[in-house]
């Protein structure tokens, strides 16, 4: 066992990693300026309710338009922000934008929800619930319309005591989603610990629904399990009509994916909602009144 633990310390030398090291270092200071300069912004991806095929909300996804590097994907800079503590500022920024956007859309489409990804690093942040509470008050946004998405691996790594802020947020009415469901080591014990109102089935399972019979069975039984626990099920990564059809048939509550809409800037989301509303008869999707 000791030998195994020892072995883990030695990673294979990867020259590509070494070349990336200066960029990783400078990313940190560049993240700070990006927050101020507006290079960091928030994209919104619509959520479709099934079987009504109504757009009922959107997920906020952070974007970094780097002046030289172009679009830097969140999987690259979120871990850096997490390691450095910048994740607090970054999340505050995304939350503020998302709640403001949700409140704005809510004037025309009452009940429109907003989902925000919450890093595991913030679960231990005891102030997070107070901060979110103040934000909801400021924009008069109903707590029930805000969903915080937490990945299963993230929450698993957090001690039970650290989940206290999550429980407080839940008792305020804020909704909690388990993101990328199926990719971590979820157990029933884990499902019981998280006060989740929603689970989001990872796109690796969703996209295999058609190709693989056992994946189909897993998605189907996950939907049934979640429903018996009173949880909603959202499928992510829906790229074709056939998959959407299958998910609707299995009783999946909501879907997201390129078929329904890509993550877009706020203006484009608003424009999209307007055009769906106008072309109601022609469109496959609807938008809530
Ligand atoms: P996630 O929360 O699971 O978000 C879904 C990801 O799948 C997004 O990637 C989205 O653009 C992509 N996606 C959506 N529909 C489709 C589809 O039909 N096909 C394919 N192939 N992909 C699709 P993105 O924006 O690159 O984000 C990656 C991850 O980074 C997110 O996964 C989330 O874990 C994290 N992330 C993004 N924004 C934030 C944020 O503001 N805060 C934190 N803490 N994490 C964030
Ligand atoms: Mg998410
Ligand atoms: Mg996800
Ligand atoms: Mg994912």
């Amino acid at each position: 066992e000791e030998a195994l633990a020892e072995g883990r310390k030695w990673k294979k030398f990867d020259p590509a990693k070494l070349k990336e090291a200066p960029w990783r270092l400078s990313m940190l200071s560049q993240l700070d300026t990006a927050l101020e300069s507006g290079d960091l912004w928030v994209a919104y991806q619509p959520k479709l309710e099934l079987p009504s095929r109504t757009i009922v909300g959107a997920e906020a996804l952070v974007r970094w338009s780097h002046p030289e590097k172009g679009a830097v994907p969140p999987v690259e800079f979120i871990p850096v922000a997490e390691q450095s503590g910048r994740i607090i500022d970054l999340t505050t920024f995304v939350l503020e934008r998302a709640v403001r956007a949700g409140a704005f859309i809510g004037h025309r489409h009452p009940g429109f929800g907003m989902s925000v990804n919450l890093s595991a690093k913030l679960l231990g942040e005891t102030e997070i619930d107070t901060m979110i509470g103040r934000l909801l008050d400021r924009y008069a946004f109903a707590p029930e319309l805000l969903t915080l998405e937490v990945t299963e691996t993230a929450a698993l790594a957090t001690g039970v005591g650290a989940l206290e802020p999550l429980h407080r947020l839940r008792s305020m009415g804020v909704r909690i989603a388990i993101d990328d469901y199926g990719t971590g080591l979820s157990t029933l014990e884990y499902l019981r610990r998280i006060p989740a109102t929603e689970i989001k089935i990872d796109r690796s399972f969703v996209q295999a629904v058609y190709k693989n019979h056992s994946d189909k069975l897993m998605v189907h039984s996950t939907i049934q399990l979640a429903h018996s626990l009173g949880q909603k099920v959202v499928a992510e990564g829906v790229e074709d009509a056939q998959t959407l059809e299958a998910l609707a048939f299995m009783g999946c509550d909501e879907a997201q994916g390129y078929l329904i809409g890509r993550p877009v800037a706020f203006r484009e989301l608003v424009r999209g909602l307007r055009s769906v509303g106008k072309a109601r008869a022609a469109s496959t999707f609807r938008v809530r009144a």
Side-chain angles (χ1 to χ4, degrees):
E1 225 179 88
E2 215 174 83
L4 264 175
E6 199 57 39
R8 261 189 225 117
K9 280 191 205 151
W10 300 95
K11 296 228 175 77
K12 231 185 180 167
F13 175 71
D14 181 357
K17 281 253 165 58
L18 199 66
K19 242 169 72 189
E20 278 294 294
W23 158 235
R24 278 184 62 87
L25 274 175
S26 71
M27 220 194 282
L28 206 51
S29 62
Q30 293 198 41
L31 260 177
D32 291 334
T33 32
L35 255 173
E36 282 146 33
S37 66
D39 290 345
L40 223 53
W41 56 282
V42 180
Y44 301 90
Q45 185 180 33
K47 289 176 95 178
L48 185 78
E49 183 187 70
L50 296 170
S52 70
R53 296 188 182 235
T54 309
I55 306 287
V56 290
E59 175 179 0
L61 293 158
V62 71
R63 290 290 176 265
W64 185 2
S65 304
H66 192 278
E68 285 121 42
K69 299 220 164 232
V72 184
V75 289
E76 255 184 59
F77 64 87
I78 295 280
V80 175
E82 281 178 339
Q83 279 158 25
S84 66
R86 303 297 201 288
I87 193 69
I88 300 177
D89 291 341
L90 189 141
T91 308
T92 308
F93 168 75
V94 176
L95 272 165
E96 202 269 339
R97 291 297 159 98
V99 168
R100 201 211 305 177
F104 183 89
I105 295 173
H107 290 305
R108 196 186 277 256
H109 308 289
F112 194 89
M114 269 295 164
S115 299
V116 175
N117 295 284
L118 199 66
S119 160
K121 290 281 183 313
L122 290 173
L123 294 181
E125 229 19 79
T126 45
E127 306 285 277
I128 189 89
D129 48 326
T130 332
M131 187 273 268
I132 292 175
R134 272 202 295 263
L135 192 61
L136 294 169
D137 283 345
R138 179 163 14 124
Y139 291 102
F141 194 63
E144 293 75 21
L145 295 178
L146 178 68
T147 302
L148 300 172
E149 300 191 358
V150 184
T151 65
E152 49 170 314
T153 23
L156 263 180
T158 315
V160 187
L163 293 175
E164 225 14 78
L166 214 54
H167 283 274
R168 281 199 299 272
L169 282 158
R170 180 65 204 114
S171 48
M172 279 160 57
V174 172
R175 302 175 57 84
I176 313 289
I178 300 178
D179 206 350
D180 299 344
Y181 184 84
T183 57
L185 301 159
S186 356
T187 59
L188 295 175
E189 168 59 21
Y190 167 79
L191 279 179
R192 196 168 54 182
R193 273 177 49 191
I194 307 286
T197 50
E198 174 180 310
I199 67 162
K200 297 190 77 173
I201 304 181
D202 191 70
R203 75 163 181 266
S204 55
F205 292 97
V206 171
Q207 295 181 342
V209 146
Y210 252 92
K211 293 161 207 123
N212 191 322
H213 186 65
S214 65
D215 278 317
K216 185 178 207 153
L217 291 177
M218 277 202 277
V219 169
H220 199 179
S221 52
T222 300
I223 293 172
Q224 287 169 333
L225 171 66
H227 282 174
S228 59
L229 291 170
Q231 293 163 340
K232 222 165 61 174
V233 180
V234 181
E236 55 177 35
V238 179
E239 293 182 358
D240 58 86
Q242 218 184 12
T243 302
L244 186 67
E245 211 58 62
L247 289 163
F249 184 77
M250 289 190 276
C252 186
D253 304 282
E254 283 176 24
Q256 267 181 293
Y258 294 165
L259 172 76
I260 298 139
R262 286 181 182 260
V264 291
F266 176 68
R267 278 161 176 269
E268 213 176 314
L269 175 76
V270 172
R271 213 180 298 138
L273 291 173
R274 206 171 289 152
S275 69
V276 169
K278 276 199 190 115
R280 198 167 292 204
S283 173
T284 349
F285 307 143
R286 277 176 284 271
V287 60
R288 198 166 267 169

